[in-house]
Amino acid sequence: MNAQPPAPATGASGGDAGLVSGEAVALDVRAARIGSRVLALLLDLVAQAGIAVVLVVCLSAAVAAFPAGLADAALSGALQTVGAILVLVGYPTLWERFAGGRTPGKLAVGLRVVRVDGGPVGLRQSLTRALVGVAVEWPGLVLPLLSWVASVAVMLTDRRGRRLGDLVAGTMVVHTRVATAWRPAPLLAPALAGWAYALDLTRLDDDLALAVRQYVTRAHRFAEPARSRLAGALWAEVAAVTTPPPPAGVPQGVCLATVLAERHRRATHRLHRARARTATLWPELAPAPAGGGPRAAGAGD
């Protein structure tokens, strides 16, 4: 089985959620801050407003169908209260419970509600978050202006960006889209060019090559001895399917980077040859020259 790179250390990648897996490995997860959370809230408010309009229409039609003596102000008020609870409390609770901690707004922004230990939220946590949110955050039935200021202050000062509902429910909101820096494939080391050109890579499959690429492009984020241990495990697999062996004294990480660079060089060369054959057989499929030549100018005639 191909070796896969372990999760990098939190400090190296900027993850600040402070979540740790059951294997005591720090997870590379970023806590959501007030900006992304407000954007998700605004999107959810639009969806809730639409649901409220539909409920008002349906409840009005239902009340109009009741007998004249049954439809009174008390019934209308009760139905309005039930509708408000469904929209303000039921909407976030049901979405978070059955959509993996994501409401439509959070899904669009790339956020998820999780427990403080990193586990999925349950019905109790989702309901607690919703009730606290309605009472003291949004819309804030208890001292609206004061509770809004307190909620913003809590989110700005908490190191995980949690709001009051999160603190009470034992939850937090994290980003599901991890921001990682893209690094290109390594270049071929000139000192190893002779060995690289002679390599037989026919048995190096795509899965193993992908594992090597993941290691090589992220090796700078691994700490020792994990970096050397993973390089050794990967090189043992690569050495078993490639020949000839590398020169003596070359570090295993450098060998992996060289094999990957040579595989990329050969793939690029094959692509260029295929494009050249295509241009010879079907000139009309060849890409137009940059800047627009005679052919580009005549294309619109």
Side-chain angles (χ1 to χ4, degrees), residues 17-22 25 27 114-121 125 160 162 169-172 174:
L19 300 181
V20 179
S21 71
V25 177
L27 302 179
V114 297
R115 299 198 308 259
V116 289
D117 60 359
V121 292
Q125 288 93 355
R160 295 182 175 181
R162 293 176 293 179
T171 59
M172 62 181 299
V174 299

PDB file of all heavy atoms in Angstrom, residues 17-22 25 27 114-121 125 160 162 169-172 174:
ATOM      1  N   ALA A  17      -7.291  26.369  14.809  1.00  0.00           N
ATOM      2  CA  ALA A  17      -8.464  25.891  15.521  1.00  0.00           C
ATOM      3  C   ALA A  17      -8.091  25.130  16.777  1.00  0.00           C
ATOM      4  O   ALA A  17      -8.909  24.970  17.678  1.00  0.00           O
ATOM      5  CB  ALA A  17      -9.315  25.004  14.607  1.00  0.00           C
ATOM      6  N   GLY A  18      -6.862  24.618  16.853  1.00  0.00           N
ATOM      7  CA  GLY A  18      -6.429  23.906  18.039  1.00  0.00           C
ATOM      8  C   GLY A  18      -7.070  22.553  18.202  1.00  0.00           C
ATOM      9  O   GLY A  18      -7.172  22.053  19.324  1.00  0.00           O
ATOM     10  N   LEU A  19      -7.521  21.929  17.116  1.00  0.00           N
ATOM     11  CA  LEU A  19      -8.156  20.623  17.195  1.00  0.00           C
ATOM     12  C   LEU A  19      -7.101  19.535  17.109  1.00  0.00           C
ATOM     13  O   LEU A  19      -6.145  19.633  16.349  1.00  0.00           O
ATOM     14  CB  LEU A  19      -9.178  20.452  16.065  1.00  0.00           C
ATOM     15  CG  LEU A  19     -10.325  21.462  16.055  1.00  0.00           C
ATOM     16  CD1 LEU A  19     -11.272  21.171  14.907  1.00  0.00           C
ATOM     17  CD2 LEU A  19     -11.077  21.436  17.372  1.00  0.00           C
ATOM     18  N   VAL A  20      -7.303  18.472  17.870  1.00  0.00           N
ATOM     19  CA  VAL A  20      -6.377  17.352  17.914  1.00  0.00           C
ATOM     20  C   VAL A  20      -7.168  16.079  17.695  1.00  0.00           C
ATOM     21  O   VAL A  20      -8.235  15.879  18.286  1.00  0.00           O
ATOM     22  CB  VAL A  20      -5.634  17.292  19.265  1.00  0.00           C
ATOM     23  CG1 VAL A  20      -4.680  16.104  19.304  1.00  0.00           C
ATOM     24  CG2 VAL A  20      -4.880  18.577  19.521  1.00  0.00           C
ATOM     25  N   SER A  21      -6.661  15.208  16.799  1.00  0.00           N
ATOM     26  CA  SER A  21      -7.345  13.962  16.508  1.00  0.00           C
ATOM     27  C   SER A  21      -7.182  12.983  17.652  1.00  0.00           C
ATOM     28  O   SER A  21      -6.425  13.206  18.606  1.00  0.00           O
ATOM     29  CB  SER A  21      -6.786  13.346  15.219  1.00  0.00           C
ATOM     30  OG  SER A  21      -5.492  12.857  15.440  1.00  0.00           O
ATOM     31  N   GLY A  22      -7.888  11.851  17.567  1.00  0.00           N
ATOM     32  CA  GLY A  22      -7.791  10.826  18.584  1.00  0.00           C
ATOM     33  C   GLY A  22      -6.422  10.211  18.676  1.00  0.00           C
ATOM     34  O   GLY A  22      -6.069   9.591  19.676  1.00  0.00           O
ATOM     35  N   VAL A  25      -2.756  13.912  16.955  1.00  0.00           N
ATOM     36  CA  VAL A  25      -2.157  14.635  15.834  1.00  0.00           C
ATOM     37  C   VAL A  25      -2.908  15.951  15.662  1.00  0.00           C
ATOM     38  O   VAL A  25      -4.133  15.957  15.543  1.00  0.00           O
ATOM     39  CB  VAL A  25      -2.220  13.814  14.534  1.00  0.00           C
ATOM     40  CG1 VAL A  25      -1.665  14.627  13.378  1.00  0.00           C
ATOM     41  CG2 VAL A  25      -1.457  12.515  14.692  1.00  0.00           C
ATOM     42  N   LEU A  27      -4.644  18.883  13.983  1.00  0.00           N
ATOM     43  CA  LEU A  27      -5.326  18.976  12.701  1.00  0.00           C
ATOM     44  C   LEU A  27      -5.109  20.352  12.091  1.00  0.00           C
ATOM     45  O   LEU A  27      -5.148  21.373  12.787  1.00  0.00           O
ATOM     46  CB  LEU A  27      -6.825  18.713  12.886  1.00  0.00           C
ATOM     47  CG  LEU A  27      -7.192  17.363  13.500  1.00  0.00           C
ATOM     48  CD1 LEU A  27      -8.706  17.249  13.650  1.00  0.00           C
ATOM     49  CD2 LEU A  27      -6.657  16.216  12.659  1.00  0.00           C
ATOM     50  N   VAL A 114     -18.504  22.326  14.382  1.00  0.00           N
ATOM     51  CA  VAL A 114     -18.012  21.092  14.990  1.00  0.00           C
ATOM     52  C   VAL A 114     -17.963  21.284  16.498  1.00  0.00           C
ATOM     53  O   VAL A 114     -18.033  22.412  17.000  1.00  0.00           O
ATOM     54  CB  VAL A 114     -16.607  20.712  14.471  1.00  0.00           C
ATOM     55  CG1 VAL A 114     -16.630  20.439  12.988  1.00  0.00           C
ATOM     56  CG2 VAL A 114     -15.597  21.811  14.792  1.00  0.00           C
ATOM     57  N   ARG A 115     -17.855  20.171  17.226  1.00  0.00           N
ATOM     58  CA  ARG A 115     -17.632  20.258  18.661  1.00  0.00           C
ATOM     59  C   ARG A 115     -16.209  20.757  18.925  1.00  0.00           C
ATOM     60  O   ARG A 115     -15.347  20.698  18.048  1.00  0.00           O
ATOM     61  CB  ARG A 115     -17.845  18.897  19.329  1.00  0.00           C
ATOM     62  CG  ARG A 115     -19.249  18.332  19.173  1.00  0.00           C
ATOM     63  CD  ARG A 115     -19.475  17.245  20.217  1.00  0.00           C
ATOM     64  NE  ARG A 115     -18.406  16.248  20.199  1.00  0.00           N
ATOM     65  CZ  ARG A 115     -18.484  15.057  19.628  1.00  0.00           C
ATOM     66  NH1 ARG A 115     -19.583  14.708  18.988  1.00  0.00           N
ATOM     67  NH2 ARG A 115     -17.461  14.206  19.686  1.00  0.00           N
ATOM     68  N   VAL A 116     -15.949  21.194  20.135  1.00  0.00           N
ATOM     69  CA  VAL A 116     -14.624  21.720  20.449  1.00  0.00           C
ATOM     70  C   VAL A 116     -13.560  20.630  20.395  1.00  0.00           C
ATOM     71  O   VAL A 116     -12.361  20.934  20.292  1.00  0.00           O
ATOM     72  CB  VAL A 116     -14.624  22.388  21.835  1.00  0.00           C
ATOM     73  CG1 VAL A 116     -15.408  23.680  21.818  1.00  0.00           C
ATOM     74  CG2 VAL A 116     -15.167  21.439  22.899  1.00  0.00           C
ATOM     75  N   ASP A 117     -13.981  19.356  20.443  1.00  0.00           N
ATOM     76  CA  ASP A 117     -13.016  18.264  20.300  1.00  0.00           C
ATOM     77  C   ASP A 117     -12.876  17.807  18.859  1.00  0.00           C
ATOM     78  O   ASP A 117     -12.185  16.822  18.592  1.00  0.00           O
ATOM     79  CB  ASP A 117     -13.407  17.078  21.192  1.00  0.00           C
ATOM     80  CG  ASP A 117     -14.781  16.507  20.841  1.00  0.00           C
ATOM     81  OD1 ASP A 117     -15.436  17.050  19.920  1.00  0.00           O
ATOM     82  OD2 ASP A 117     -15.199  15.526  21.479  1.00  0.00           O
ATOM     83  N   GLY A 118     -13.528  18.519  17.935  1.00  0.00           N
ATOM     84  CA  GLY A 118     -13.419  18.187  16.523  1.00  0.00           C
ATOM     85  C   GLY A 118     -14.470  17.240  16.018  1.00  0.00           C
ATOM     86  O   GLY A 118     -14.537  16.971  14.818  1.00  0.00           O
ATOM     87  N   GLY A 119     -15.311  16.694  16.877  1.00  0.00           N
ATOM     88  CA  GLY A 119     -16.338  15.750  16.457  1.00  0.00           C
ATOM     89  C   GLY A 119     -17.542  16.445  15.846  1.00  0.00           C
ATOM     90  O   GLY A 119     -17.699  17.669  15.947  1.00  0.00           O
ATOM     91  N   PRO A 120     -18.430  15.679  15.214  1.00  0.00           N
ATOM     92  CA  PRO A 120     -19.627  16.281  14.620  1.00  0.00           C
ATOM     93  C   PRO A 120     -20.613  16.750  15.677  1.00  0.00           C
ATOM     94  O   PRO A 120     -20.694  16.169  16.768  1.00  0.00           O
ATOM     95  CB  PRO A 120     -20.216  15.125  13.791  1.00  0.00           C
ATOM     96  CG  PRO A 120     -19.714  13.880  14.471  1.00  0.00           C
ATOM     97  CD  PRO A 120     -18.353  14.222  14.991  1.00  0.00           C
ATOM     98  N   VAL A 121     -21.351  17.794  15.363  1.00  0.00           N
ATOM     99  CA  VAL A 121     -22.326  18.324  16.317  1.00  0.00           C
ATOM    100  C   VAL A 121     -23.543  17.411  16.367  1.00  0.00           C
ATOM    101  O   VAL A 121     -23.905  16.775  15.376  1.00  0.00           O
ATOM    102  CB  VAL A 121     -22.746  19.751  15.933  1.00  0.00           C
ATOM    103  CG1 VAL A 121     -21.613  20.721  16.109  1.00  0.00           C
ATOM    104  CG2 VAL A 121     -23.289  19.797  14.513  1.00  0.00           C
ATOM    105  N   GLN A 125     -26.326  20.150  20.733  1.00  0.00           N
ATOM    106  CA  GLN A 125     -25.460  21.303  20.483  1.00  0.00           C
ATOM    107  C   GLN A 125     -26.092  22.268  19.485  1.00  0.00           C
ATOM    108  O   GLN A 125     -26.058  23.490  19.672  1.00  0.00           O
ATOM    109  CB  GLN A 125     -24.092  20.851  19.966  1.00  0.00           C
ATOM    110  CG  GLN A 125     -23.219  20.191  21.002  1.00  0.00           C
ATOM    111  CD  GLN A 125     -23.373  18.692  20.996  1.00  0.00           C
ATOM    112  OE1 GLN A 125     -24.213  18.152  20.273  1.00  0.00           O
ATOM    113  NE2 GLN A 125     -22.573  18.005  21.807  1.00  0.00           N
ATOM    114  N   ARG A 160     -10.611  31.406  19.152  1.00  0.00           N
ATOM    115  CA  ARG A 160     -11.183  30.549  18.114  1.00  0.00           C
ATOM    116  C   ARG A 160     -12.349  31.213  17.395  1.00  0.00           C
ATOM    117  O   ARG A 160     -13.015  30.572  16.592  1.00  0.00           O
ATOM    118  CB  ARG A 160     -11.656  29.227  18.717  1.00  0.00           C
ATOM    119  CG  ARG A 160     -10.530  28.364  19.288  1.00  0.00           C
ATOM    120  CD  ARG A 160     -11.085  27.073  19.823  1.00  0.00           C
ATOM    121  NE  ARG A 160     -10.034  26.164  20.283  1.00  0.00           N
ATOM    122  CZ  ARG A 160     -10.263  24.964  20.785  1.00  0.00           C
ATOM    123  NH1 ARG A 160     -11.515  24.529  20.907  1.00  0.00           N
ATOM    124  NH2 ARG A 160      -9.267  24.195  21.176  1.00  0.00           N
ATOM    125  N   ARG A 162     -15.230  32.139  18.530  1.00  0.00           N
ATOM    126  CA  ARG A 162     -16.537  31.593  18.903  1.00  0.00           C
ATOM    127  C   ARG A 162     -17.477  32.683  19.381  1.00  0.00           C
ATOM    128  O   ARG A 162     -17.063  33.672  19.963  1.00  0.00           O
ATOM    129  CB  ARG A 162     -16.369  30.542  19.999  1.00  0.00           C
ATOM    130  CG  ARG A 162     -15.642  29.295  19.559  1.00  0.00           C
ATOM    131  CD  ARG A 162     -15.422  28.332  20.708  1.00  0.00           C
ATOM    132  NE  ARG A 162     -14.497  28.908  21.691  1.00  0.00           N
ATOM    133  CZ  ARG A 162     -14.142  28.286  22.809  1.00  0.00           C
ATOM    134  NH1 ARG A 162     -14.649  27.093  23.091  1.00  0.00           N
ATOM    135  NH2 ARG A 162     -13.291  28.856  23.645  1.00  0.00           N
ATOM    136  N   ALA A 169     -22.753  25.936  23.964  1.00  0.00           N
ATOM    137  CA  ALA A 169     -22.978  24.605  23.403  1.00  0.00           C
ATOM    138  C   ALA A 169     -21.715  23.768  23.308  1.00  0.00           C
ATOM    139  O   ALA A 169     -21.787  22.567  23.052  1.00  0.00           O
ATOM    140  CB  ALA A 169     -23.612  24.727  22.013  1.00  0.00           C
ATOM    141  N   GLY A 170     -20.550  24.378  23.514  1.00  0.00           N
ATOM    142  CA  GLY A 170     -19.302  23.635  23.376  1.00  0.00           C
ATOM    143  C   GLY A 170     -18.972  23.320  21.936  1.00  0.00           C
ATOM    144  O   GLY A 170     -18.514  22.222  21.613  1.00  0.00           O
ATOM    145  N   THR A 171     -19.181  24.297  21.049  1.00  0.00           N
ATOM    146  CA  THR A 171     -18.937  24.114  19.625  1.00  0.00           C
ATOM    147  C   THR A 171     -18.045  25.231  19.106  1.00  0.00           C
ATOM    148  O   THR A 171     -17.723  26.184  19.822  1.00  0.00           O
ATOM    149  CB  THR A 171     -20.252  24.113  18.830  1.00  0.00           C
ATOM    150  OG1 THR A 171     -20.933  25.371  19.042  1.00  0.00           O
ATOM    151  CG2 THR A 171     -21.152  22.970  19.267  1.00  0.00           C
ATOM    152  N   MET A 172     -17.664  25.127  17.856  1.00  0.00           N
ATOM    153  CA  MET A 172     -16.923  26.167  17.158  1.00  0.00           C
ATOM    154  C   MET A 172     -17.172  26.007  15.666  1.00  0.00           C
ATOM    155  O   MET A 172     -17.674  24.968  15.220  1.00  0.00           O
ATOM    156  CB  MET A 172     -15.428  26.080  17.463  1.00  0.00           C
ATOM    157  CG  MET A 172     -14.769  24.798  17.025  1.00  0.00           C
ATOM    158  SD  MET A 172     -13.021  24.730  17.430  1.00  0.00           S
ATOM    159  CE  MET A 172     -12.416  26.139  16.507  1.00  0.00           C
ATOM    160  N   VAL A 174     -15.400  26.124  11.870  1.00  0.00           N
ATOM    161  CA  VAL A 174     -14.099  26.014  11.219  1.00  0.00           C
ATOM    162  C   VAL A 174     -14.280  26.107   9.707  1.00  0.00           C
ATOM    163  O   VAL A 174     -15.374  25.897   9.178  1.00  0.00           O
ATOM    164  CB  VAL A 174     -13.391  24.690  11.586  1.00  0.00           C
ATOM    165  CG1 VAL A 174     -13.145  24.612  13.081  1.00  0.00           C
ATOM    166  CG2 VAL A 174     -14.213  23.486  11.120  1.00  0.00           C
TER     167      VAL A 174
END
